[in-house]
Amino acid sequence: MDIGITLIVQMLVFGIVIWVVMTFIWPIILGAMNEREKKIAAGLAAAEQGQKDLSEAKSRADEVIKEARVRAQTIESQAQTRANQIMEEARKAASLEGEKALGLAKAQIDLESNRAREQLRGQVVSLAVAGAKRVLEKEIDAKTHGELLDQLAAKL
């Protein structure tokens, strides 16, 4: 066989192989490649959407954190205000209790002082009677002179 015929036959076989590949195999390969390309494009789009969602979620989270901080500061200031009010009320209540205790102590002191005065008056009266008894050296009738002694005690 001649090299020219072999070359022509090989070219014909090569052409048939190319035709078979282009007709039957190539569309399958292109279909798989197109499907793979679509999957990759969908994956990239999903990744981009995921990035957008992530950035939106981060911004929403930042907003929520800011709101929470503001609310926490508001609650803290309200708690501080309420604590100050409670302390002021406690001071006022303690002041009132102190004034009450002081008033009661003054009343008790007045009562004790009046008792002591009455006891002293009684002692002065008995001393006066004893002194008058010695001065007069006679018996003094307590009933008759009781009114005079009561007047004397009232003046003291």
Side-chain angles (χ1 to χ4, degrees):
M1 284 220 237
D2 191 10
I3 200 139
I5 295 176
T6 307
L7 195 56
I8 291 176
V9 172
Q10 283 181 355
M11 282 179 29
L12 279 173
V13 171
F14 186 70
I16 292 172
V17 169
I18 287 177
W19 178 79
V20 169
V21 168
M22 292 295 282
T23 306
F24 298 108
I25 298 173
W26 194 254
I28 294 171
I29 292 172
L30 283 180
M33 285 176 56
N34 287 336
E35 186 178 323
R36 180 71 177 157
E37 184 180 342
K38 288 177 184 177
K39 284 183 182 179
I40 290 171
L44 290 174
E48 284 181 26
Q49 186 63 36
Q51 287 293 336
K52 286 180 185 177
D53 292 344
L54 179 63
S55 65
E56 288 176 8
K58 283 182 181 179
S59 65
R60 278 186 266 143
D62 290 341
E63 289 175 16
V64 168
I65 288 171
K66 286 178 185 176
E67 287 178 17
R69 284 184 181 149
V70 168
R71 288 175 61 194
Q73 288 174 350
T74 303
I75 290 170
E76 183 181 355
S77 67
Q78 289 174 349
Q80 185 64 35
T81 303
R82 182 64 183 141
N84 290 340
Q85 288 175 348
I86 290 171
M87 288 177 62
E88 188 61 32
E89 290 171 3
R91 280 189 202 122
K92 287 179 182 177
S95 177
L96 289 175
E97 287 295 321
E99 289 174 7
K100 274 185 181 178
L102 185 61
L104 289 174
K106 284 182 180 179
Q108 187 69 24
I109 289 170
D110 289 342
L111 182 64
E112 291 296 323
S113 131
N114 287 337
R115 284 183 191 163
R117 282 188 193 131
E118 290 300 319
Q119 286 178 353
L120 285 175
R121 283 183 187 156
Q123 289 175 358
V124 167
V125 168
S126 62
L127 286 174
V129 169
K133 190 174 184 180
R134 286 187 185 162
V135 169
L136 297 175
E137 291 186 15
K138 66 179 186 174
E139 187 176 318
I140 296 179
D141 186 20
K143 282 185 178 179
T144 56
H145 299 297
E147 290 178 20
L148 290 174
L149 292 176
D150 286 338
Q151 288 176 358
L152 178 65
K155 288 180 181 179
L156 294 174

